[in-house]
Amino acid sequence: ATAAADHHWLRTFAWPIYGFSIALLLLTLVVGSGVGGVQRWVSVFGLQFQFSEVAKILLAVVLAHYLATRAAEISRLRTLIGAGLIVAPLLGLVLIQPDLGTSLVFGAIMLGALFFAGASLRWLAVTVLGVVAMVPVAWQFILRDYQKQRLVAFLDPAADPLGSGYQLQQSQITVGSGGLFGRGLTNTLAGQNLPVGSTDFVFAHVGEQLGFLGGFVVLTLFALLIWRVLHVGWRSGDSFTLAFSGGIAGMLLFQMIVNVGMVLGVMPITGIPLPFVTYGGASLLSAALGLGILESLAMRRSRST
């Protein structure tokens, strides 16, 4: 349905869409619910919605519109600052929920959109260094205790094998049990003790059931998908499409790297889903929505040409 819709209205109503995104995240903080005191889900007529997932795609639209209107000034510092000011309210509202993983995805969308729109690499490097410099501040004043435990568990999961390190150890056991060819689809043995095995740690079951070769095929398909996303932007000749495709590619690439990395124990555990693989309608909806908009841009560009 998104691919069939005319994408021009997105640019026309970009700023109302931005306000709508903020309203959704504020609503989540007011009436949202979740496990362990978090506020991430909103119930509408008995259905659960995670508005932060939808807000990721809406942010990519708004950023693409902003960068397209400043294509002649894309390399200037004030353009980068403006993009940061657009992202900051959404990122902050998601971080308050708290949802560290999704808030980091907002940053990946911004960097992807800026990079492929042609922003100065020097200023992008300064931005990344600035974010790294803010890590001690976030550690001291923003992150909660359980988030800190998750972030450091990957350094030494054996230090707390029944606590913060349990999930990571079970994940590594599950992946390793698959060997080269895996145990076969639906044949889960080692992964029976893996918490959230169908959501954040679903790639561990991919490794167990399909083995190393199956996991490699999944990652190859992701690489092809991201290449196709960028290809749409490259051949469009349109600054809006290029920035939007960069944002979507940044989102997909970041989520893939972090999710697979935390399953294997080389990245901190941040609760980021693997697009199109993780169980749950919110993640699937956001990824499908982003690709649908991109397909709309590609189809109408082809017809125009």
Side-chain angles (χ1 to χ4, degrees), residues 73-129:
E73 302 177 349
I74 192 65
S75 296
R76 296 190 177 184
L77 177 61
R78 62 183 181 184
T79 301
L80 191 148
I81 293 175
L85 292 176
I86 292 173
V87 175
L90 300 178
L91 189 152
L93 289 173
V94 173
L95 195 58
I96 293 173
Q97 292 182 6
D99 189 350
L100 176 61
T102 303
S103 65
L104 293 175
V105 176
F106 282 109
I109 292 172
M110 183 187 75
L111 289 177
L114 284 169
F115 179 78
F116 283 98
S120 170
L121 294 179
R122 178 184 62 181
W123 291 123
L124 287 178
V126 170
T127 301
V128 173
L129 291 176

Side-chain angles (χ1 to χ4, degrees), residues 56-71 74-75 79-80 82-84 86-87 105-121 124 229-230 233-234 238-254:
K56 293 190 300 188
I57 308 304
L58 299 182
L59 172 64
V61 171
V62 175
L63 274 177
H65 172 69
Y66 169 78
L67 296 175
T69 58
R70 289 161 177 77
I74 192 65
S75 296
T79 301
L80 191 148
I86 292 173
V87 175
V105 176
F106 282 109
I109 292 172
M110 183 187 75
L111 289 177
L114 284 169
F115 179 78
F116 283 98
S120 170
L121 294 179
L124 287 178
V229 168
L230 295 175
W234 286 330
D238 174 58
S239 55
F240 176 84
T241 304
L242 184 60
F244 183 78
S245 65
I248 298 300
M251 178 188 77
L252 294 173
L253 179 63
F254 182 79

Side-chain angles (χ1 to χ4, degrees), residues 40 68 78 85 112 127 170 226 274 276:
R40 299 179 186 174
R78 62 183 181 184
L85 292 176
T127 301
Q170 291 299 318
I226 293 171
L274 186 62
F276 300 110

Side-chain angles (χ1 to χ4, degrees), residues 167-178 183 190-191 208 263:
Q167 194 170 34
L168 179 54
Q169 285 192 318
Q170 291 299 318
S171 173
Q172 292 174 326
I173 292 172
T174 302
V175 172
S177 67
R183 296 177 179 271
E208 180 186 25
V263 167

Side-chain angles (χ1 to χ4, degrees), residues 198-222:
S198 62
T199 53
D200 295 343
F201 280 77
V202 69
F203 191 77
H205 287 302
V206 173
E208 180 186 25
Q209 297 178 19
L210 302 179
F212 173 82
L213 292 180
F216 179 78
V217 169
V218 171
L219 296 181
T220 301
L221 292 175
F222 267 107

